[in-house]
Amino acid sequence: MWVGRKFWGFIKKLWEVFRDTYLRWNDASPWRQSAILAYYSIFSLPALLLIVIVMVGYFYGEEAVSQQLSGRIADMIGKESAIMIE
């Protein structure tokens, strides 16, 4: 009997933690924040890509890195789109 009370007490506490966590998360406007993060990520990717190409290109050669990256992009989104990105 004591184990049952302890177990259900634990379950009740766990439910309260999950409920409070969800309510606090929802009050923080997570959908707006994720949209802001996505917006700024899109504009930071070209600069990040340039930094990666230069740093990795230092060791392997920028042309090799650029060709490898173009090939990967072409595999993902198509050859015509990859040419436009270049």
Side-chain angles (χ1 to χ4, degrees):
M1 184 87 153
W2 176 250
V3 174
R5 283 186 183 172
K6 214 174 187 184
F7 175 74
W8 289 113
F10 172 76
I11 295 296
K12 183 179 177 185
K13 279 285 193 191
L14 190 62
W15 170 252
E16 289 173 3
V17 168
F18 282 139
R19 187 190 68 211
D20 290 344
T21 301
Y22 172 76
L23 291 174
R24 287 184 184 186
W25 174 77
N26 201 30
D27 288 341
S29 183
W31 309 117
R32 182 176 169 270
Q33 290 178 1
S34 63
I36 291 169
L37 181 63
Y39 177 80
Y40 285 112
S41 295
I42 287 172
F43 290 112
S44 68
L45 284 177
L48 181 62
L49 193 58
L50 181 65
I51 292 169
V52 168
I53 289 173
V54 169
M55 290 180 70
V56 175
Y58 178 77
F59 297 104
Y60 295 107
E62 283 187 36
E63 188 65 32
V65 173
S66 181
Q67 287 177 354
Q68 183 74 7
L69 193 58
S70 294
R72 299 279 178 145
I73 291 172
D75 290 343
M76 286 191 298
I77 62 174
K79 196 166 220 144
E80 295 82 21
S81 299
I83 291 171
M84 292 169 77
I85 290 175
E86 280 184 27

